[in-house]
Amino acid sequence: MVVIGVTSGKGGVGKTTVVSNLATALAEFGRNVVVLDCNLTTSHIALHFGMQHVDNSIIDVLKKKVKIQEAVYYNPIASVKIVPSTLKQMEEVEIKNLKKLICRIANSRKDFVLIDSSPGFGNNVKNVLKASDKVLIVTTPTFPSLADGIKIAELAKKMKKEFFVILNKIRNKKYEVKTEIIERMFGVKINVIIPEDDKIPESIAFGAPVVVYKPYSKSAVAFKKFAASLIGEEYKPSFRERIEWLLGRALS
Ligand SMILES: Nc1ncnc2c1ncn2[C@@H]1O[C@H](COP(=O)(O)OP(=O)(O)OP(=O)(O)O)[C@@H](O)[C@H]1O
Ligand SMILES: [Mg+2]
């Protein structure tokens, strides 16, 4: 089992989008995937998967109102299990013993557990990092997002957690910070770049990850390549994917 905590420091950079699509892409490669929504205050995982209503949430589990198994929902479109947070009134709950909870729902060697975190550097973000085997830092190529991403990287280093960086919403504009500079800032190689893609907000409005909503879009292909790299497989785009990707580039 591999637990990946997805964080960013700055809000709105694409954590939930990355979690929902990476989970779906890993499931397409035959992995068992569980997604945990640990953004307890501005939780959106359920909405990204088109779930408008859930009876039990991770907050009920943390408050010991229900067992974690009672808050696991299978999403048939994405073939992913989801432990959502609540869409109701904001509730302040401390995330404790997360690793123990995770072990109750995922223990097979091939399982992936992806945790969606809230932005910032509060206790709940630290608890997500603590429970994670690997930390995935999402950033955009802009200084405010990079500055906060670097703070998360420092935190991960202090906690002796392996981290990697995903660059999201790339538009290849002159004002964007260059990838080489970002690599120097973090001290790691960036091997995941997700382009800015209108198909992503479109997919959220539709209520499904872009990987299933538009499987041949440039962002979906980037997520599938990333998922493949995580499991040591090579992703070979089909002929149709290559044509659609080229068309997308020509039109952008
Ligand atoms: N690659 C992309 N191309 C275009 N739009 C994107 C991309 N990634 C994310 N977005 C858009 O950016 C917005 C924020 O994304 P998302 O909710 O995933 O961020 P977040 O980091 O989880 O935010 P929060 O910190 O509030 O939890 C969404 O409206 C989404 O549609
Ligand atoms: Mg989010």
Side-chain angles (χ1 to χ4, degrees):
M1 174 177 79
V2 186
V3 182
I4 302 179
V6 180
T7 61
S8 65
K10 190 175 179 322
V13 295
K15 294 177 294 300
T16 307
T17 303
V18 168
V19 169
S20 57
N21 283 288
L22 181 58
T24 309
L26 284 166
E28 280 191 7
F29 282 107
R31 297 305 189 267
N32 295 322
V33 188
V34 184
V35 168
L36 251 68
D37 193 349
C38 285
N39 182 342
L40 304 187
T41 49
T42 49
S43 350
H44 304 129
I45 274 292
L47 295 176
H48 279 235
F49 283 99
M51 298 155 70
Q52 311 288 350
H53 173 78
V54 290
D55 288 325
N56 299 330
S57 74
I58 195 159
I59 292 179
D60 300 313
V61 178
L62 292 166
K63 285 182 159 181
K64 296 194 165 43
K65 283 188 189 163
V66 300
K67 292 199 178 99
I68 188 144
Q69 290 84 352
E70 295 170 75
V72 180
Y73 294 86
Y74 181 70
N75 185 286
I77 297 171
S79 308
V80 165
K81 287 181 195 157
I82 298 158
V83 182
S85 188
T86 181
L87 295 170
K88 292 184 220 146
Q89 188 72 19
M90 182 189 99
E91 298 194 47
E92 281 297 328
V93 188
E94 205 191 330
I95 297 173
K96 278 196 212 139
N97 302 326
L98 196 51
K99 198 69 190 251
K100 238 190 203 165
L101 286 182
I102 290 170
C103 289
R104 289 199 192 124
I105 44 169
N107 44 34
S108 135
R109 216 164 43 85
K110 278 189 157 185
D111 280 351
F112 274 89
V113 177
L114 303 190
I115 312 177
D116 190 13
S117 156
S118 38
F121 307 92
N123 277 343
N124 279 352
V125 174
K126 287 182 186 145
N127 286 333
V128 167
L129 295 191
K130 210 163 110 187
S132 304
D133 302 314
K134 295 171 190 235
V135 175
L136 176 49
I137 303 170
V138 183
T139 182
T140 58
T142 58
F143 284 117
S145 149
L146 288 164
D148 291 350
I150 281 170
K151 285 188 213 156
I152 292 282
E154 294 301 328
L155 205 55
K157 275 187 214 160
K158 226 191 245 170
M159 296 171 89
K160 300 200 173 8
K161 300 286 177 179
E162 181 192 352
F163 73 90
F164 45 115
V165 179
I166 180 162
L167 261 183
N168 189 29
K169 303 194 192 186
I170 298 291
R171 303 177 67 201
N172 290 318
K173 295 285 181 193
K174 272 196 185 136
Y175 55 77
E176 291 179 348
V177 183
K178 300 250 171 314
T179 306
E180 308 84 76
I181 296 175
I182 298 173
E183 288 181 335
R184 255 182 275 147
M185 288 168 89
F186 280 95
V188 294
K189 198 125 191 72
I190 311 276
N191 45 15
V192 197
I193 292 181
I194 311 292
E196 168 100 13
D197 187 355
D198 282 347
K199 295 288 175 265
I200 287 184
E202 219 179 281
S203 72
I204 297 168
F206 180 78
V210 76
V211 164
V212 283
Y213 173 71
K214 288 281 177 213
Y216 309 116
S217 62
K218 55 186 176 179
S219 54
V221 170
F223 281 119
K224 286 187 260 189
K225 279 188 183 163
F226 179 36
S229 73
L230 279 182
I231 54 174
E233 284 187 23
E234 204 190 331
Y235 171 70
K236 287 209 180 82
S238 64
F239 180 69
R240 183 168 169 189
E241 279 170 331
R242 286 207 300 273
I243 295 291
E244 295 221 2
W245 186 78
L246 284 169
L247 277 176
R249 270 181 76 110
L251 296 174
S252 63

